Amino acid sequence: MKKFFSLLTIIILITMIFAGCSSEINGESDALKVVTTTTMITDLVKIIGGDFVEVEGLMGSGIDPHLYKASASDVTKLQNAQLIIYNGFHLEGKIGDLLEEVELNGVSTFAVAESVDPSKLLLCDEIEGNHDPHIWFDVAMWIDAANEVTEVLSNQVPEHKEDFESNAKEYIQALNELNDHIIAQVNTISEESRILITAHDAFNYFGEAYGFEVLGLQGISTTSEAGTADITALADYIVQKEIPAIFIETSVPPKGVEALREAVRAQGFEVEIGGELFSDALGDKGTDTESYIGTVRHNIDTIVSALHQ
């Protein structure tokens, strides 16, 4: 009898091993299949989901989500997903209709920005009734987003709720440390120096949270281009305030900011390009800016260094 049970145990173990190997060979996985849009959201979902979520991001580094168009392979990914997590508030304007279509076909979707407390949101003048989608520039709001994503993943895979909550707790601690770093850096420059001029109007949540006046050459969306009158008005303001630096963005062509600098120079004042900021996308893989935390650290260090007078 003992020999029989020993043999039975061995057979069960071998069966389990081969079942696992077969699953790997066929590319099957028990992990929740999640498709994300922007690099910031991809980073967030990977951290909180850990080993229990298989994340596939549509957009890479340097990609402008305002202008992004879904490819045929993207459509397939969205259709095959178990969950789609995107930003919302028309940030992914070109694929908005597609997201609605897959949702109607039964795929679960979740808009990170649209889940945030409405009292914390800033209105967008460009689209009536819409809100500014760039919530990740306020670290406190990104903590809210992390909590919301944790809840969504827990609802999808309740057996790993504790794992998601543990990952979120650790990550939120790191985000709080990041927020402290930003505040410490901002406090090294005078209040009158806290004027941030960038390629497009993406940094309003940053300005609201950390006490900066923020001006963008283009609007909240990069679909519209700055005209000559916009450049002239902003150049006049730079000269009047003697602003030492303006900033280009990795996901927006630099020609607008370069034209602004020339307009300022034509008035006899020299304004520097203070550096390159990451706005709507994270940095390249293998660099310090491939993560949300690394990107935000780069941005604040670049801004403060350039605006010191």
Side-chain angles (χ1 to χ4, degrees), residues 30-305:
D30 291 333
L32 179 71
K33 292 177 174 59
V34 182
V35 171
T36 52
T37 54
T38 68
T39 51
M40 292 76 66
I41 294 174
T42 301
D43 181 62
L44 177 62
V45 177
K46 282 183 176 179
I47 289 169
I48 295 174
D51 296 332
F52 309 106
V53 174
E54 184 182 306
V55 184
E56 193 159 22
L58 297 184
M59 303 176 192
S61 62
I63 299 297
D64 182 351
H66 298 283
L67 303 178
Y68 185 79
K69 294 180 180 179
S71 65
S73 63
D74 289 340
V75 174
T76 301
K77 290 173 187 175
L78 290 168
Q79 290 172 337
N80 293 335
Q82 292 173 282
L83 174 65
I84 299 168
I85 300 182
Y86 64 106
N87 190 84
F89 290 138
H90 302 286
L91 180 73
E92 304 97 339
K94 299 288 184 180
I95 62 173
D97 291 341
L98 180 57
L99 289 169
E100 290 180 9
E101 182 181 325
V102 295
E103 185 176 20
L104 289 173
N105 289 332
V107 179
S108 296
T109 64
F110 177 71
V112 172
E114 294 175 19
S115 71
V116 171
D117 181 351
S119 67
K120 298 180 180 181
L121 296 171
L122 300 176
L123 287 173
C124 168
D125 294 334
E126 292 174 32
I127 304 175
E128 187 176 352
N130 193 43
H131 292 93
D132 186 334
H134 303 88
I135 65 165
W136 59 91
F137 285 113
D138 179 348
V139 176
M141 294 184 75
W142 204 237
I143 289 174
D144 291 342
N147 284 321
E148 294 293 338
V149 166
T150 302
E151 184 176 347
V152 169
L153 294 180
S154 297
N155 290 337
Q156 290 280 329
V157 195
E159 61 268 30
H160 292 302
K161 182 175 188 289
E162 290 185 2
D163 298 295
F164 299 143
E165 289 177 345
S166 176
N167 291 342
K169 183 179 179 181
E170 184 177 342
Y171 187 51
I172 287 170
Q173 181 179 340
L175 290 177
N176 280 318
E177 291 171 0
L178 173 65
N179 200 50
D180 290 342
H181 173 74
I182 295 172
I183 293 169
Q185 283 287 80
V186 171
N187 286 337
T188 66
I189 60 176
S190 62
E191 291 187 11
E192 58 269 22
S193 297
R194 298 173 193 175
I195 303 175
L196 178 64
I197 297 178
T198 60
H200 87 296
D201 216 5
F203 290 81
N204 290 314
Y205 287 105
F206 171 83
E208 187 79 10
Y210 305 109
F212 277 76
E213 180 181 355
V214 176
L215 298 166
L217 187 56
Q218 293 174 253
I220 283 177
S221 171
T222 56
T223 55
S224 59
E225 292 189 3
T228 304
D230 299 314
I231 293 173
T232 301
L234 198 47
D236 292 343
Y237 186 78
I238 291 168
V239 174
Q240 176 192 345
K241 294 286 186 177
E242 297 184 348
I243 297 169
I246 55 180
F247 301 87
I248 58 177
E249 300 173 31
T250 59
S251 56
V252 181
K255 61 181 182 179
V257 173
E258 291 168 352
L260 175 61
R261 186 187 187 193
E262 290 304 315
V264 171
R265 184 175 286 166
Q267 296 191 39
F269 182 75
E270 194 68 36
V271 64
E272 299 297 326
I273 302 292
E276 190 175 47
L277 303 181
F278 293 85
S279 54
D280 291 346
L282 303 182
D284 293 327
K285 289 183 179 180
T287 68
D288 291 339
T289 57
E290 70 173 329
S291 70
Y292 170 80
I293 288 178
T295 291
V296 174
R297 273 186 166 270
H298 165 88
N299 279 355
I300 190 60
D301 293 348
T302 300
I303 291 167
V304 169
S305 175

